[in-house]
Amino acid sequence: MIDARSIFDSMPHKDLVSWNSLAFGYAVNGEPGRALEILGAIQASGTLQPNARTFLAALLACSSLADEEIAKLVDGKLFKSSCLERTVAIHLEAGKRGCLDVYVSTSLVDLYAKCGSVLEAARVFHRMPSHSVVSWSTLIQGYVENHENEVALGYYELMGDSRIPPDCRTHVAALMACSSLALREEGREVNGKVVKTQALEKGMAVHSRIDKLECTSDVILASTVVHFYAKCGRLEDAGAVFEAMLRHDEISWNTLIMGYVENGEYELALELFSRMRLEKCSSSRATVAVLMACASLAAREQGKELDGMFVKAECLQKGMEIHREAVVSGCDSDGFVASSLVDMYAKCGSMKDARAAFDRMAYHDVVSWTTLILGYAENGLGELALDLFSQMTSGAPNHLTYVAALVACGNLSALDSGRKIHSRILRSGLETEVVVESSLVDFYCKCGSMDTAESVFFSMQTKRLVTWSALIAGYSRQGDTLPMFDHFRKLRDEGLQPNGITVLSVLTACSHAGLVDKGKKIFNSMLAEFGVKPEIDHYHCIVDLLSRANRLEEAVELVQSLRCEDSYLAWTTILSGACKWNNLQVGEKAFQSLMKLEDRDDDAACVLMGNLYGRAGLWERRAQLLECNAKRKN
């Protein structure tokens, strides 16, 4: 622009065309302020009159400024006030000079929507003598960006009734509206999957229109369809649209991979990422997604002890492969990828690698600090977590950082340290964050300070399920069943339904207190009464309850009839119960079942079975068992 300005200044006669060219040059080259100065200069010249193209350049400049301005909340809505004032001024001036043609009016629709005044955008739209596909699409997109998705779909329907057919951009906006509605919809279970049926119905109607047009080969549109189906929980449809695409770009790969991750299909995400790499396509966003998949899979993996730490070896290996590929592609230096690597290694139990990934980062933001602190806390290294929290140098802690520190304090039962962190939270004004409230309750419960936990709980303006669950879990850990059941009842009286975590805490308390019949009743009514589908942890808990109460045959029957027959923990629990109650028959059944499993700990099982043989006086069988185990190890 320096050369352009130099040539402009050297011109002996500057007409409106040259002024407009310079204004557009500034607007498209990141100097919006200078572009607006041109409009002022034209108005001040006294010889030139701005035309529609002049106002287009000014509106383009305002659009750039709107992208930079941070919106502020006014009467419950977000507005970009400074840019809105400029837009109103340009709008009035353009109207006075009769320059509100279809191009200027469409730009005004776009800019008003960007500034948060979608109502004014609609007014401009409705004053236009005629509409183009661009003006329709601009208004619909404006409503989507302002989170008024139902209104956006209403205009999409109106456009369908007009003589102007939607184009690819219009369909993209409509599908984005449907995807946003899916995020707000609770969804319901269909064939074992949570599907957002209301948003799905609206989006499928849009998709059917697309199939009738000649824009199905548009990569952006096809990727938006994939994104929509993934948000609605219809991954088969998302995959079918993806496979039908003529070509895949980085966005389409990212969209489906992230869709799989968000819907819990982590293995499919990893498989698709491998295909993506075979096609020589790399992406930081896809790398972040599959690292999240590895971290989530690690939560399901049982893990094995290695150098005093429980490591999820299978997921760790997958994560390391992704890390190596990230180094080759060069995306390991991306801040989001680096933080995801720290998280993945921590979730897999390899804090040495997590720390190494953290130390390699060029810059540490609050996300990376928080990720490593939480990693130490969740891996039983609370002292290191608190040391790191005190060393945090770049950026102030956010609410999640404090949560990570409270997790460390709770695991260490470090009441004094946690109280100091509580004071810092109060000074920071973060005490009303839901996750902070529940973490404070959980921390005080773990420290046995139930009075303080209750005080925090009852000081909350809104008591959400996560905080009720934290208090119930606290009483469960203390073995104090009376207040636990009282809060469990009050939770339901408040109109809340317990989730799987809440029910697990209650079942655990029943198991430790020997409340067999009560525990069985709650377990058997989980789905019908609470709408909670029993997961493997619930089965393990009820097996533990039955085993502790010498109802071992029931425990065996439960394991064989339900989904945990191949569970190492379930059979080990029964074997431990058989040892406690000297039940040789059940003990041998549990031991034989353990020996059939691929992922097993032979030493632990043989020690338990050997103890049972010893208690039964079967010393020869005990010796044979231990001898066989020693041979297997050699």
Side-chain angles (χ1 to χ4, degrees):
M1 285 306 298
I2 294 175
D3 292 333
R5 184 66 197 234
S6 177
I7 293 171
F8 175 83
D9 289 337
S10 67
M11 293 171 64
H13 174 69
K14 302 176 181 67
D15 60 9
L16 187 58
V17 174
S18 57
W19 279 103
N20 286 346
S21 298
L22 186 63
F24 267 106
Y26 280 129
V28 299
N29 283 285
E31 298 185 63
R34 289 184 178 272
L36 292 174
E37 288 173 8
I38 298 295
L39 174 61
I42 292 172
Q43 291 172 316
S45 68
T47 57
L48 296 173
Q49 297 296 323
N51 63 9
R53 188 164 173 79
T54 315
F55 290 111
L56 276 176
L59 290 170
L60 180 61
C62 279
S63 183
S64 298
L65 291 171
D67 291 336
E68 297 172 3
E69 187 177 343
I70 298 173
K72 294 181 180 178
L73 201 63
V74 179
D75 296 329
K77 290 194 173 184
L78 291 170
F79 289 97
K80 298 184 177 182
S81 303
S82 297
C83 195
L84 185 57
E85 289 177 11
R86 294 191 192 97
T87 305
V88 171
I90 294 169
H91 185 184
L92 291 172
E93 190 65 25
K96 287 178 186 176
R97 298 180 182 274
C99 294
L100 294 176
D101 64 11
V102 65
Y103 301 106
V104 172
S105 295
T106 301
S107 296
L108 282 167
V109 171
D110 178 58
L111 193 48
Y112 274 124
K114 276 188 176 180
C115 294
S117 183
V118 72
L119 183 61
E120 194 59 43
R123 285 177 181 155
V124 173
F125 177 84
H126 286 296
R127 291 192 194 111
M128 294 172 66
S130 63
H131 299 121
S132 66
V133 66
V134 176
S135 58
W136 276 103
S137 300
T138 301
L139 182 64
I140 294 168
Q141 183 67 39
Y143 274 111
V144 173
E145 290 174 352
N146 282 275
H147 312 294
E148 296 191 33
N149 301 294
E150 294 283 8
V151 181
L153 291 174
Y155 274 103
Y156 178 76
E157 291 298 325
L158 283 174
M159 185 180 181
D161 296 335
S162 73
R163 295 181 179 179
I164 301 172
D167 65 1
C168 292
R169 185 190 170 201
T170 324
H171 293 307
V172 165
L175 286 166
M176 287 172 63
C178 295
S179 297
S180 297
L181 289 173
L183 290 175
R184 289 162 41 194
E185 187 181 336
E186 189 171 336
R188 63 187 184 88
E189 191 170 314
V190 179
N191 297 326
K193 305 289 183 182
V194 177
V195 178
K196 312 296 181 69
T197 53
Q198 295 176 23
L200 179 65
E201 184 180 353
K202 291 180 171 68
M204 288 180 76
V206 178
H207 190 192
S208 67
R209 290 186 183 181
I210 295 168
D211 284 340
K212 296 173 185 176
L213 302 175
E214 294 183 358
C215 55
T216 52
S217 61
D218 186 281
V219 178
I220 294 175
L221 178 57
S223 297
T224 308
V225 177
V226 172
H227 177 262
F228 154 71
Y229 278 121
K231 289 297 179 187
C232 291
R234 286 285 288 263
L235 293 177
E236 288 185 8
D237 291 312
V241 174
F242 178 84
E243 297 299 345
M245 292 174 67
L246 299 178
R247 64 183 181 87
H248 299 125
D249 63 359
E250 183 179 322
I251 294 173
S252 57
W253 285 107
N254 291 345
T255 301
L256 188 55
I257 290 171
M258 184 56 76
Y260 282 138
V261 173
E262 289 175 347
N263 284 275
E265 297 288 352
Y266 308 119
E267 293 87 353
L268 291 176
L270 292 168
E271 288 174 16
L272 192 63
F273 182 73
S274 298
R275 275 183 59 191
M276 179 183 176
R277 298 293 295 129
L278 288 173
E279 295 194 21
K280 308 299 181 185
C281 183
S282 62
S283 160
S284 296
R285 187 163 178 240
T287 303
V288 169
V290 290
L291 288 170
M292 289 169 59
C294 283
S296 299
L297 285 171
R300 300 177 182 175
E301 190 179 336
Q302 190 170 327
K304 294 182 179 179
E305 190 171 350
L306 183 66
D307 297 330
M309 299 290 291
F310 275 95
V311 177
K312 313 295 181 70
E314 187 176 337
C315 289
L316 180 60
Q317 184 178 357
K318 291 176 182 175
M320 285 179 162
E321 289 172 6
I322 295 167
H323 189 178
R324 283 192 290 270
E325 290 177 356
V327 172
V328 172
S329 65
C331 70
D332 61 313
S333 58
D334 178 271
F336 294 107
V337 172
S339 291
S340 298
L341 282 167
V342 175
D343 182 58
M344 179 275 295
Y345 281 123
K347 291 289 194 298
C348 291
S350 181
M351 289 309 302
K352 181 179 179 181
D353 289 309
R355 184 62 198 242
F358 178 84
D359 290 337
R360 279 193 295 269
M361 296 176 69
Y363 169 75
H364 298 128
D365 60 8
V366 67
V367 175
S368 55
W369 280 102
T370 301
T371 302
L372 188 60
I373 292 168
L374 185 61
Y376 279 128
E378 290 182 336
N379 281 280
L381 300 170
E383 294 91 347
L384 289 175
L386 293 177
D387 286 346
L388 195 66
F389 178 71
S390 65
Q391 295 168 21
M392 189 172 173
T393 54
S394 53
N398 65 13
H399 63 293
L400 294 177
T401 320
Y402 287 121
V403 167
L406 286 170
V407 170
C409 291
N411 292 342
L412 293 169
S413 297
L415 187 58
D416 289 341
S417 297
R419 282 174 172 161
K420 291 175 183 176
I421 291 169
H422 190 177
S423 297
R424 287 186 62 178
I425 290 169
L426 293 170
R427 290 196 297 271
S428 302
L430 297 171
E431 69 277 7
T432 58
E433 292 281 348
V434 176
V435 68
V436 173
E437 290 175 331
S438 58
S439 296
L440 283 167
V441 171
D442 185 61
F443 155 69
Y444 283 117
C445 287
K446 284 180 176 177
C447 292
S449 184
M450 297 307 298
D451 289 342
T452 311
E454 290 243 2
S455 176
V456 173
F457 179 79
F458 285 113
S459 70
M460 294 162 51
Q461 291 184 346
T462 304
K463 298 173 182 63
R464 295 174 175 84
L465 177 60
V466 64
T467 321
W468 280 100
S469 297
L471 188 61
I472 289 168
Y475 280 114
S476 174
R477 279 191 295 268
Q478 296 295 319
D480 202 346
T481 56
L482 286 177
M484 184 203 70
F485 281 119
D486 184 47
H487 284 297
F488 188 63
R489 177 185 55 78
K490 287 178 180 176
L491 178 154
R492 299 176 66 198
D493 290 343
E494 291 287 328
L496 297 172
Q497 280 287 71
N499 61 14
I501 296 171
T502 322
V503 176
L504 184 63
S505 296
V506 175
L507 290 176
T508 301
C510 289
S511 177
H512 293 167
L515 302 174
V516 181
D517 292 334
K518 195 172 188 69
K520 282 184 66 179
K521 182 180 178 181
I522 292 170
F523 177 78
N524 291 329
S525 63
M526 281 178 63
L527 188 58
E529 194 170 348
F530 310 134
V532 177
K533 185 178 180 180
E535 299 290 341
I536 191 69
D537 288 339
H538 301 104
Y539 293 123
H540 286 156
C541 195
I542 205 71
V543 167
D544 182 59
L545 179 145
L546 294 170
S547 298
R548 286 172 182 263
N550 196 18
R551 291 165 72 162
L552 294 165
E553 287 78 10
E554 282 186 61
V556 170
E557 185 179 344
L558 180 71
V559 171
Q560 290 178 329
S561 63
L562 297 173
R563 52 175 290 187
C564 48
E565 192 171 8
D566 59 348
S567 168
Y568 172 82
L569 181 57
W571 286 117
T572 302
T573 302
I574 292 173
L575 181 55
S576 297
C579 289
K580 176 182 177 181
W581 300 106
N582 296 322
N583 191 322
L584 184 60
Q585 183 179 357
V586 170
E588 287 185 326
K589 169 65 181 174
F591 180 74
Q592 289 165 7
S593 298
L594 280 169
M595 290 299 101
K596 294 176 184 177
L597 301 179
E598 291 183 9
D599 189 14
R600 65 177 188 264
D601 184 347
D602 288 354
D603 286 343
C606 288
V607 167
L608 286 170
M609 194 65 225
N611 289 341
L612 184 54
Y613 280 140
R615 290 181 181 182
L618 301 173
W619 300 108
E620 186 176 343
R621 291 172 71 175
R622 180 179 184 274
Q624 290 174 348
L625 174 68
L626 297 178
E627 184 181 350
C628 288
N629 185 47
K631 288 180 179 178
R632 273 198 300 268
K633 291 168 67 175
N634 295 330

